[in-house]
Amino acid sequence: LPGGGSDNLVAQAQGGSIRLQATEFNPSLGEKPDIPPGLTIADYAAGVQGYYIVQFDGVVEQAAKDAVTAVGAELLGYITDNAFKVRMNPGQAKRVTQLDGIAWVGIFQPAYKLAPELASEGLFMVRVEQGADAGMAAGAVAQSGAQILAREGNILLIAADAAQVDAIAHVTDVAWVENFLMREKHNEYGAGIIMGANTANTNGYDGSTQTVAVADTGLGGGTATTAHADIPSSRVTAIFDWPGISAGGCYNAISDGAIDVDSGHGTHTALSVLSDGDANGVGKGTAPAASLVFQSVEDWADMQGQCSLFYPDGYYLIGLPSDIRTLFQEAYDAGARIHSNSWGSDAAGDYTLDSANTD
């Protein structure tokens, strides 16, 4: 096991490297990742449902997965190469090591839950593993001394220092901890971006059979009839307002509905998608005959406490849910099969919680 563990969980065949955000190692070569002291466990107590990495000895076939679940284990996310994160107890883990086609079984160590380059203190997002009791996990997180500022489903916004973050990594059902970054508008300026839309349009591809969803600041005056002259109300399928929810100790949200009250960014991005350009003969979008589902997600945030140390008061995309799969589901249910998002965070390409939920 990386970082310590039971001798009866051994590699049986070469399965390749285990590639995690936190580290990379090849168990069949006896390599152990460089785990900081205090961020490992030897094993779980008998009967306790914990988290392991199960690596198969080649491309994972359905029959091999079925053999693992047959012992009562639960397959969670895929891990490169040829591995899965698995929820099971130590007895089940021992049985899995004895199955044909299993290369290695090891503890999913607390260190693996921490994103690279975590701040030493500040604001963090914590994800509780799917299927776990998020309320109980949140209680265990609070026992670390960290301040829970907001909770949405299985995702927590917390304020913590380094010692508290390490303690949170030891909470069994905590799956991931990353730096909190406020979502921000992207694609502020569209000039010079060439997408080849004119060629598509002249060949008859104008989006007339499609419904496109856009999640952004707001849309014009907030209604189908006041959206914009280049988006006829007949092509607006729905406008949904996602009001910002105040996060105690972080910010108070002041909702303004679906109106694009601040920057005009949402109107701009929606027009980039499907403006027909009829109002003044210019500004035709990529799919000038498509229908629109718009999701307004920007509101004013009055920053409080620790959040005020990092962000000034202002308009933010605080209506975006912590788990953005719910945003996509609403748009899908409204008929959209394309979703356009010109926003992100200052994550510099890191694979964040938003990235994982999008995938």
Side-chain angles (χ1 to χ4, degrees):
L1 291 181
S6 174
D7 290 336
N8 60 23
L9 302 183
V10 297
Q12 299 177 4
Q14 290 193 2
S17 292
I18 298 293
R19 308 171 200 270
L20 303 166
Q21 276 191 265
T23 190
E24 178 178 336
F25 62 96
N26 190 325
S28 67
L29 300 179
E31 298 178 5
K32 295 183 179 180
D34 184 15
I35 298 178
L39 286 174
T40 66
I41 58 173
D43 206 345
Y44 298 97
V48 172
Q49 291 288 102
Y51 297 90
Y52 297 78
I53 298 174
V54 173
Q55 187 179 46
F56 298 79
D57 63 7
V59 176
V60 185
E61 302 288 350
Q62 186 61 48
K65 293 194 291 184
D66 291 343
V68 172
T69 58
V71 307
E74 181 183 357
L75 295 174
L76 300 170
Y78 176 77
I79 297 173
T80 306
D81 287 340
N82 307 319
F84 274 83
K85 186 178 183 182
V86 178
R87 181 162 41 216
M88 55 186 170
N89 62 44
Q92 292 165 334
K94 184 175 181 179
R95 291 170 63 188
V96 170
T97 65
Q98 299 167 351
L99 296 173
D100 291 338
I102 299 299
W104 179 78
V105 178
I107 297 287
F108 194 95
Q109 296 290 348
Y112 303 162
K113 304 176 182 183
L114 303 181
E117 301 182 1
L118 276 181
S120 59
E121 64 177 335
L123 305 175
F124 303 92
M125 298 294 289
V126 176
R127 178 174 70 86
V128 177
E129 188 57 79
Q130 56 183 304
D133 188 322
M136 289 187 63
V141 168
Q143 289 179 11
S144 72
Q147 182 182 5
I148 298 178
L149 303 177
R151 174 188 160 197
E152 183 180 327
N154 69 331
I155 299 173
L156 312 175
L157 170 62
I158 69 167
D161 60 26
Q164 292 163 345
V165 168
D166 286 355
I168 290 167
H170 280 274
V171 175
T172 300
D173 289 321
V174 164
W176 184 244
V177 183
E178 69 182 31
N179 294 321
F180 171 76
L181 295 170
M182 192 72 81
R183 279 83 160 246
E184 58 188 30
K185 300 181 286 290
H186 289 168
N187 189 28
E188 193 78 51
Y189 306 99
I193 298 175
I194 301 173
M195 298 181 64
N198 290 340
T199 301
N201 295 160
T202 56
N203 281 278
Y205 297 99
D206 60 4
S208 59
T209 64
Q210 300 298 315
T211 298
V212 182
V214 176
D216 213 293
T217 58
L219 181 64
T223 66
T225 56
T226 61
H228 192 275
D230 287 338
I231 307 177
S233 60
S234 60
R235 291 201 285 124
V236 179
T237 299
I239 298 175
F240 298 105
D241 180 39
W242 285 68
I245 299 174
S246 296
C250 186
Y251 58 79
N252 290 325
I254 302 174
S255 178
D256 53 29
I259 188 172
D260 200 3
V261 70
D262 182 42
S263 64
H265 187 269
T267 307
H268 156 73
T269 57
L271 291 167
S272 295
V273 171
L274 45 70
S275 164
D276 60 21
D278 285 350
N280 56 18
V282 296
K284 187 165 70 172
T286 303
S291 296
L292 173 67
V293 170
F294 194 90
Q295 295 165 297
S296 175
V297 296
E298 183 178 69
D299 281 320
W300 179 269
D302 178 19
M303 294 297 174
Q304 310 286 319
Q306 287 223 31
C307 290
S308 65
L309 302 177
F310 300 94
Y311 299 99
D313 294 350
Y315 284 99
Y316 292 93
L317 304 179
I318 55 176
L320 287 168
S322 296
D323 185 345
I324 58 175
R325 291 176 296 182
T326 58
L327 188 80
F328 300 147
Q329 188 65 57
E330 178 186 66
Y332 188 92
D333 291 344
R337 296 296 180 267
I338 300 166
H339 206 287
S340 178
N341 299 271
S342 296
W343 54 267
S345 68
D346 188 18
D350 283 348
Y351 192 82
T352 65
L353 182 59
D354 279 344
S355 307
N357 282 331
T358 299
D359 286 346

PDB file of all heavy atoms in Angstrom, residues 209-230:
ATOM      1  N   THR A 209     -33.039  23.818 -36.266  1.00  0.00           N
ATOM      2  CA  THR A 209     -33.583  22.615 -35.622  1.00  0.00           C
ATOM      3  C   THR A 209     -33.059  22.444 -34.202  1.00  0.00           C
ATOM      4  O   THR A 209     -33.353  21.430 -33.563  1.00  0.00           O
ATOM      5  CB  THR A 209     -33.209  21.356 -36.429  1.00  0.00           C
ATOM      6  OG1 THR A 209     -31.780  21.199 -36.427  1.00  0.00           O
ATOM      7  CG2 THR A 209     -33.704  21.465 -37.857  1.00  0.00           C
ATOM      8  N   GLN A 210     -32.307  23.436 -33.712  1.00  0.00           N
ATOM      9  CA  GLN A 210     -31.621  23.272 -32.437  1.00  0.00           C
ATOM     10  C   GLN A 210     -32.113  24.253 -31.372  1.00  0.00           C
ATOM     11  O   GLN A 210     -32.556  25.357 -31.688  1.00  0.00           O
ATOM     12  CB  GLN A 210     -30.109  23.481 -32.609  1.00  0.00           C
ATOM     13  CG  GLN A 210     -29.471  22.519 -33.582  1.00  0.00           C
ATOM     14  CD  GLN A 210     -29.601  21.070 -33.147  1.00  0.00           C
ATOM     15  OE1 GLN A 210     -29.379  20.751 -31.979  1.00  0.00           O
ATOM     16  NE2 GLN A 210     -29.977  20.200 -34.070  1.00  0.00           N
ATOM     17  N   THR A 211     -32.018  23.812 -30.111  1.00  0.00           N
ATOM     18  CA  THR A 211     -32.210  24.691 -28.961  1.00  0.00           C
ATOM     19  C   THR A 211     -30.901  24.749 -28.192  1.00  0.00           C
ATOM     20  O   THR A 211     -30.361  23.720 -27.816  1.00  0.00           O
ATOM     21  CB  THR A 211     -33.331  24.181 -28.046  1.00  0.00           C
ATOM     22  OG1 THR A 211     -34.565  24.158 -28.766  1.00  0.00           O
ATOM     23  CG2 THR A 211     -33.475  25.077 -26.819  1.00  0.00           C
ATOM     24  N   VAL A 212     -30.399  25.964 -28.007  1.00  0.00           N
ATOM     25  CA  VAL A 212     -29.117  26.165 -27.335  1.00  0.00           C
ATOM     26  C   VAL A 212     -29.364  26.813 -25.974  1.00  0.00           C
ATOM     27  O   VAL A 212     -30.138  27.774 -25.870  1.00  0.00           O
ATOM     28  CB  VAL A 212     -28.189  27.067 -28.166  1.00  0.00           C
ATOM     29  CG1 VAL A 212     -26.838  27.234 -27.467  1.00  0.00           C
ATOM     30  CG2 VAL A 212     -27.999  26.491 -29.568  1.00  0.00           C
ATOM     31  N   ALA A 213     -28.704  26.294 -24.952  1.00  0.00           N
ATOM     32  CA  ALA A 213     -28.781  26.905 -23.625  1.00  0.00           C
ATOM     33  C   ALA A 213     -27.545  27.756 -23.380  1.00  0.00           C
ATOM     34  O   ALA A 213     -26.434  27.376 -23.754  1.00  0.00           O
ATOM     35  CB  ALA A 213     -28.887  25.834 -22.542  1.00  0.00           C
ATOM     36  N   VAL A 214     -27.751  28.915 -22.779  1.00  0.00           N
ATOM     37  CA  VAL A 214     -26.664  29.808 -22.388  1.00  0.00           C
ATOM     38  C   VAL A 214     -26.851  30.139 -20.913  1.00  0.00           C
ATOM     39  O   VAL A 214     -27.929  30.582 -20.502  1.00  0.00           O
ATOM     40  CB  VAL A 214     -26.662  31.104 -23.218  1.00  0.00           C
ATOM     41  CG1 VAL A 214     -25.574  32.054 -22.720  1.00  0.00           C
ATOM     42  CG2 VAL A 214     -26.474  30.796 -24.702  1.00  0.00           C
ATOM     43  N   ALA A 215     -25.814  29.917 -20.112  1.00  0.00           N
ATOM     44  CA  ALA A 215     -25.823  30.327 -18.704  1.00  0.00           C
ATOM     45  C   ALA A 215     -24.860  31.492 -18.558  1.00  0.00           C
ATOM     46  O   ALA A 215     -23.683  31.377 -18.889  1.00  0.00           O
ATOM     47  CB  ALA A 215     -25.404  29.180 -17.799  1.00  0.00           C
ATOM     48  N   ASP A 216     -25.382  32.631 -18.077  1.00  0.00           N
ATOM     49  CA  ASP A 216     -24.531  33.816 -17.993  1.00  0.00           C
ATOM     50  C   ASP A 216     -25.196  34.847 -17.091  1.00  0.00           C
ATOM     51  O   ASP A 216     -26.129  34.523 -16.360  1.00  0.00           O
ATOM     52  CB  ASP A 216     -24.277  34.378 -19.393  1.00  0.00           C
ATOM     53  CG  ASP A 216     -22.901  35.023 -19.527  1.00  0.00           C
ATOM     54  OD1 ASP A 216     -22.683  36.062 -18.882  1.00  0.00           O
ATOM     55  OD2 ASP A 216     -22.059  34.501 -20.275  1.00  0.00           O
ATOM     56  N   THR A 217     -24.731  36.084 -17.166  1.00  0.00           N
ATOM     57  CA  THR A 217     -25.120  37.116 -16.207  1.00  0.00           C
ATOM     58  C   THR A 217     -26.618  37.382 -16.188  1.00  0.00           C
ATOM     59  O   THR A 217     -27.241  37.448 -15.127  1.00  0.00           O
ATOM     60  CB  THR A 217     -24.388  38.420 -16.533  1.00  0.00           C
ATOM     61  OG1 THR A 217     -24.699  38.825 -17.881  1.00  0.00           O
ATOM     62  CG2 THR A 217     -22.880  38.231 -16.417  1.00  0.00           C
ATOM     63  N   GLY A 218     -27.202  37.583 -17.344  1.00  0.00           N
ATOM     64  CA  GLY A 218     -28.604  37.918 -17.493  1.00  0.00           C
ATOM     65  C   GLY A 218     -28.853  38.140 -18.962  1.00  0.00           C
ATOM     66  O   GLY A 218     -27.931  38.099 -19.788  1.00  0.00           O
ATOM     67  N   LEU A 219     -30.095  38.410 -19.334  1.00  0.00           N
ATOM     68  CA  LEU A 219     -30.445  38.587 -20.743  1.00  0.00           C
ATOM     69  C   LEU A 219     -31.304  39.825 -20.908  1.00  0.00           C
ATOM     70  O   LEU A 219     -32.482  39.844 -20.515  1.00  0.00           O
ATOM     71  CB  LEU A 219     -31.193  37.361 -21.272  1.00  0.00           C
ATOM     72  CG  LEU A 219     -31.606  37.397 -22.748  1.00  0.00           C
ATOM     73  CD1 LEU A 219     -30.360  37.431 -23.653  1.00  0.00           C
ATOM     74  CD2 LEU A 219     -32.473  36.191 -23.107  1.00  0.00           C
ATOM     75  N   GLY A 220     -30.722  40.901 -21.485  1.00  0.00           N
ATOM     76  CA  GLY A 220     -31.471  42.116 -21.790  1.00  0.00           C
ATOM     77  C   GLY A 220     -32.306  42.579 -20.614  1.00  0.00           C
ATOM     78  O   GLY A 220     -31.823  42.741 -19.491  1.00  0.00           O
ATOM     79  N   GLY A 221     -33.599  42.773 -20.879  1.00  0.00           N
ATOM     80  CA  GLY A 221     -34.509  43.219 -19.835  1.00  0.00           C
ATOM     81  C   GLY A 221     -35.069  42.105 -18.984  1.00  0.00           C
ATOM     82  O   GLY A 221     -35.940  42.355 -18.132  1.00  0.00           O
ATOM     83  N   GLY A 222     -34.626  40.878 -19.213  1.00  0.00           N
ATOM     84  CA  GLY A 222     -35.000  39.771 -18.348  1.00  0.00           C
ATOM     85  C   GLY A 222     -36.198  38.962 -18.791  1.00  0.00           C
ATOM     86  O   GLY A 222     -36.567  38.004 -18.117  1.00  0.00           O
ATOM     87  N   THR A 223     -36.819  39.342 -19.934  1.00  0.00           N
ATOM     88  CA  THR A 223     -37.957  38.589 -20.440  1.00  0.00           C
ATOM     89  C   THR A 223     -37.751  38.296 -21.923  1.00  0.00           C
ATOM     90  O   THR A 223     -36.871  38.875 -22.573  1.00  0.00           O
ATOM     91  CB  THR A 223     -39.278  39.368 -20.285  1.00  0.00           C
ATOM     92  OG1 THR A 223     -39.245  40.530 -21.142  1.00  0.00           O
ATOM     93  CG2 THR A 223     -39.485  39.810 -18.843  1.00  0.00           C
ATOM     94  N   ALA A 224     -38.576  37.406 -22.457  1.00  0.00           N
ATOM     95  CA  ALA A 224     -38.451  37.044 -23.871  1.00  0.00           C
ATOM     96  C   ALA A 224     -38.669  38.243 -24.780  1.00  0.00           C
ATOM     97  O   ALA A 224     -37.995  38.401 -25.797  1.00  0.00           O
ATOM     98  CB  ALA A 224     -39.444  35.927 -24.216  1.00  0.00           C
ATOM     99  N   THR A 225     -39.583  39.116 -24.422  1.00  0.00           N
ATOM    100  CA  THR A 225     -39.896  40.266 -25.278  1.00  0.00           C
ATOM    101  C   THR A 225     -38.901  41.402 -25.129  1.00  0.00           C
ATOM    102  O   THR A 225     -38.827  42.286 -25.982  1.00  0.00           O
ATOM    103  CB  THR A 225     -41.308  40.789 -24.976  1.00  0.00           C
ATOM    104  OG1 THR A 225     -41.408  41.113 -23.585  1.00  0.00           O
ATOM    105  CG2 THR A 225     -42.356  39.749 -25.342  1.00  0.00           C
ATOM    106  N   THR A 226     -38.127  41.392 -24.036  1.00  0.00           N
ATOM    107  CA  THR A 226     -37.145  42.463 -23.819  1.00  0.00           C
ATOM    108  C   THR A 226     -35.708  41.951 -23.892  1.00  0.00           C
ATOM    109  O   THR A 226     -34.778  42.629 -23.441  1.00  0.00           O
ATOM    110  CB  THR A 226     -37.365  43.128 -22.446  1.00  0.00           C
ATOM    111  OG1 THR A 226     -37.194  42.150 -21.403  1.00  0.00           O
ATOM    112  CG2 THR A 226     -38.745  43.740 -22.358  1.00  0.00           C
ATOM    113  N   ALA A 227     -35.526  40.755 -24.469  1.00  0.00           N
ATOM    114  CA  ALA A 227     -34.188  40.154 -24.519  1.00  0.00           C
ATOM    115  C   ALA A 227     -33.250  41.000 -25.370  1.00  0.00           C
ATOM    116  O   ALA A 227     -32.226  41.500 -24.900  1.00  0.00           O
ATOM    117  CB  ALA A 227     -34.268  38.730 -25.061  1.00  0.00           C
ATOM    118  N   HIS A 228     -33.584  41.158 -26.650  1.00  0.00           N
ATOM    119  CA  HIS A 228     -32.783  41.957 -27.572  1.00  0.00           C
ATOM    120  C   HIS A 228     -33.503  41.955 -28.913  1.00  0.00           C
ATOM    121  O   HIS A 228     -34.159  40.981 -29.276  1.00  0.00           O
ATOM    122  CB  HIS A 228     -31.369  41.389 -27.737  1.00  0.00           C
ATOM    123  CG  HIS A 228     -30.426  42.315 -28.444  1.00  0.00           C
ATOM    124  ND1 HIS A 228     -30.337  42.365 -29.825  1.00  0.00           N
ATOM    125  CD2 HIS A 228     -29.533  43.217 -27.971  1.00  0.00           C
ATOM    126  CE1 HIS A 228     -29.413  43.266 -30.177  1.00  0.00           C
ATOM    127  NE2 HIS A 228     -28.928  43.803 -29.060  1.00  0.00           N
ATOM    128  N   ALA A 229     -33.347  43.026 -29.659  1.00  0.00           N
ATOM    129  CA  ALA A 229     -34.017  43.128 -30.957  1.00  0.00           C
ATOM    130  C   ALA A 229     -33.588  42.032 -31.919  1.00  0.00           C
ATOM    131  O   ALA A 229     -34.334  41.666 -32.834  1.00  0.00           O
ATOM    132  CB  ALA A 229     -33.741  44.495 -31.575  1.00  0.00           C
ATOM    133  N   ASP A 230     -32.384  41.500 -31.760  1.00  0.00           N
ATOM    134  CA  ASP A 230     -31.892  40.464 -32.666  1.00  0.00           C
ATOM    135  C   ASP A 230     -32.205  39.053 -32.191  1.00  0.00           C
ATOM    136  O   ASP A 230     -31.732  38.080 -32.781  1.00  0.00           O
ATOM    137  CB  ASP A 230     -30.375  40.610 -32.852  1.00  0.00           C
ATOM    138  CG  ASP A 230     -30.022  41.809 -33.727  1.00  0.00           C
ATOM    139  OD1 ASP A 230     -30.899  42.251 -34.493  1.00  0.00           O
ATOM    140  OD2 ASP A 230     -28.879  42.279 -33.641  1.00  0.00           O
TER     141      ASP A 230
END
